[in-house]
Amino acid sequence: MNWMLPVPVLLPLLSAGLALVVGPRPRLQQLISLVTMITVLVAGIVLAIGANTAPVVLDVGSWSAPIGITLVADRLSSLMLVISQIVTLAVLVYSLAQNLTDTDPDVPVAIYHPTYLILIAGVSNAFLTGDLFNLYVGFEILLAASFVLITLGGTRGRTRAGTVYVIVSLVSSLIFLIGIALTYAAAGTVNMAQLSTRLREIDPSVALTIQLVLLVAFGIKAAVFPLAAWLPDSYPTAPAPVTAVFAGLLTKVGIYALIRLQILLFPGQGMETLLTVVGIATMIIGILGAVAQDDIRRLLSFTLVSHIGFMIWGLALVNKQGVAAAIFYAAHHILVQTTLFLLVGLVERHMGSTSLRTLGGLVKTYPLLSGMFFVAALNLIGIPPFTGFIGKLGLAQASVQQGQWQGYALLAAGMVTSFLTLYVMVKVWNFAFWQPSGDHHVTDTDIRKALSKRQRRAVDRTIRTATARAEEAEHLQQASRTRREQSSKGASSFMYASAGTLIAVMVAMTVWAGPIYAYAHSAALDQMDRSTYLHSVLLANGRGSGLSRLAVKDAPDELRKFARQARRAAMEDASRDDVEMQTERRTKRGDQWRFEWHAPLLDKSDPAMKNYLDLLEQMRYLTESFKPGGNK
């Protein structure tokens, strides 16, 4: 099955080139994109089924790990990959129906589909890679494509927002690259499996520096507080399908990288307090920003930032229940956030605006759209029995089981955030869907008469400030739209069908929440008990399954010298570890696990190795037996 691992990465890249070649024929471009996305979805489902038994591993080009690049599909990466492919396929159908790439003179016709496919390739590469530098490559691929998509149409508003997005992305990439350089200088490898064994052996201060640098880089990409100020100003300006796929996927790639960093590379390294503070601040400040918004797109962008904090909550607990709930909540949030932005795109198509000051009465005029939004909003809030409730319940249980102040503080912040999420969704529902248009600013004259002159002036000043802020946001939103988007009205049935498909997937995920949560729980166990991941990538010989490990006779002198040095280092490790090569030592405090891993790098069936180990054992015995003044 490992031959399927490159498909989600290579096929979109090859299809992007083909789509660019056939640029003058947009219908053919659309067909290529659609067939490609269906194919990679099937490949992702097959990989997820296979990963449920054991991680699927491929040494690219038959270059053995840790020298070559390794692709790994374990339960975590497979779950994220399948969910991402479902939403990207739905968004593609939505964009085809919206006809983003037709005769609009403001939109480069030939580049949308190639760029979108490159974005998918970058996301897939980031999820499947087992190499830290290749993770950086995956980030750069998807970011390069996102630079084009976020400025699609070239309007002033999108160019302004895209500039901020590009600068922030480049800064985060630079920090990530510095982290990779520090990691390689300290550990001599960038293979994640090997790093998980070597990072525990380096100087603790150096390891802490590497961890903090990578935390900052991934924190910017995941949009956690205080590194999330760029997101609400960037995402809402893009076309609805682009905003939907950005909101659903790009921040979750950052969350995925944080899970790998905190659980696989630096397990139990004392970051619980920092992650607790970051998680609480992200949840509370993000949702308070949503409360202050009058535009649905900006409001949802702030809720996106806020609910990233729920995933940080799971990481901060450092127990298997918390990590499992964080993984499940990440999969849920990809679906629900993408769906909400697609539905807001439908509102914008029908009404020409997403401002709560101008919308109203959508329940009567567009009941189907209203019903779909209602279901998605309930899921975001976490109303039973939807997946949002299941994920939050798992986080709450993990906090109680941890039994420390961090867990209870996160639980309190999560409850406050959930109630405020309920408030902002009720606000959107009342203003945009329920009450008639124009019935937004009704003043109770009796209450106003009861106020003093000073109180009335304060109220009037507050209303003027809020109105000016709302008008400015609405003006910026309109300035980001192309002439065609401003004049477009109505929505096709395929646009409703794509959003409805995501609603159906959401409901199906609720119905089969038990098996999906069990899959996420197994993914969390795989990350915390790293033996399965390490054995799958490095195997018993510490070099993986690539053919390069067998080509000793043809290797140049330099490579043979390197191999001898590596073998000598492995023997020294065996001597230091008293030859027992213990694979796992676990200490338990409550439900928190701490692991130390010694990779089984020695092949004891090798006669030369066996003789060497016997000699070491004899030397150890003689050393311990000799006592000055004794008989031996």
Side-chain angles (χ1 to χ4, degrees), residues 468-487:
R469 186 175 63 247
E471 290 176 350
E472 181 183 3
E474 185 176 357
H475 175 72
L476 290 175
Q477 191 63 37
Q478 290 294 333
S480 67
R481 303 171 67 200
T482 65
R483 292 191 299 271
R484 181 180 179 84
E485 290 170 349
Q486 293 176 4
S487 61

Side-chain angles (χ1 to χ4, degrees), residues 603-622:
D603 184 7
K604 296 182 181 180
S605 63
D606 186 349
M609 184 63 67
K610 185 176 183 303
N611 293 335
Y612 184 82
L613 294 178
D614 291 341
L615 179 61
L616 287 177
E617 179 65 19
Q618 294 173 12
M619 292 175 62
R620 183 184 67 81
Y621 174 77
L622 292 175

Side-chain angles (χ1 to χ4, degrees), residues 306-474:
S306 176
H307 284 241
I308 292 295
F310 284 93
M311 302 162 219
I312 303 299
W313 174 0
L315 284 179
L317 297 177
V318 200
N319 59 30
K320 60 180 182 296
Q321 289 86 1
V323 177
I327 294 171
F328 182 85
Y329 199 87
H332 142 81
H333 200 249
I334 291 174
L335 274 176
V336 70
Q337 204 71 48
T338 304
T339 305
L340 284 170
F341 273 104
L342 290 183
L343 294 174
V344 171
L346 289 172
V347 171
E348 188 176 26
R349 294 280 295 186
H350 288 304
M351 307 301 294
S353 174
T354 56
S355 174
L356 295 178
R357 300 174 67 251
T358 59
L359 297 174
L362 290 176
V363 166
K364 292 184 178 180
T365 53
Y366 302 102
L368 178 59
L369 173 59
S370 302
M372 294 166 66
F373 186 91
F374 185 75
V375 173
L378 290 180
N379 201 358
L380 180 67
I381 296 166
I383 301 297
F386 290 105
T387 53
F389 170 76
I390 297 171
K392 292 177 182 178
L393 181 62
L395 291 169
Q397 290 176 339
S399 294
V400 173
Q401 290 177 5
Q402 188 209 37
Q404 298 183 21
W405 71 267
Q406 295 98 330
Y408 291 116
L410 286 163
L411 177 58
M415 293 178 65
V416 171
T417 303
S418 297
F419 280 115
L420 290 177
T421 303
L422 173 62
Y423 168 77
V424 297
M425 289 294 104
V426 169
K427 173 184 173 181
V428 172
W429 178 258
N430 284 338
F431 277 66
F433 293 90
W434 191 252
Q435 66 188 32
S437 178
D439 193 24
H440 295 162
H441 303 288
V442 178
T443 302
D444 191 331
T445 55
D446 294 332
I447 295 179
R448 187 174 179 81
K449 289 178 181 179
L451 298 175
S452 65
K453 290 183 178 180
R454 181 178 179 181
Q455 289 173 328
R456 286 200 296 269
R457 286 196 300 269
V459 170
D460 292 339
R461 186 164 55 251
T462 302
I463 292 176
R464 286 195 301 270
T465 302
T467 301
R469 186 175 63 247
E471 290 176 350
E472 181 183 3
E474 185 176 357

Side-chain angles (χ1 to χ4, degrees), residues 5 9 45 63 174 190 243 259 292 323 337 348 392 397-398 409 422 477 489 495-496 517 521 596-597 604:
L5 273 169
V9 181
I45 293 173
W63 282 94
L174 178 61
V190 289
T243 302
I259 294 173
V323 177
Q337 204 71 48
E348 188 176 26
K392 292 177 182 178
Q397 290 176 339
L422 173 62
Q477 191 63 37
K489 296 292 182 181
M495 295 172 69
Y496 275 92
Y517 200 96
H521 192 271
E596 293 182 359
W597 170 262
K604 296 182 181 180

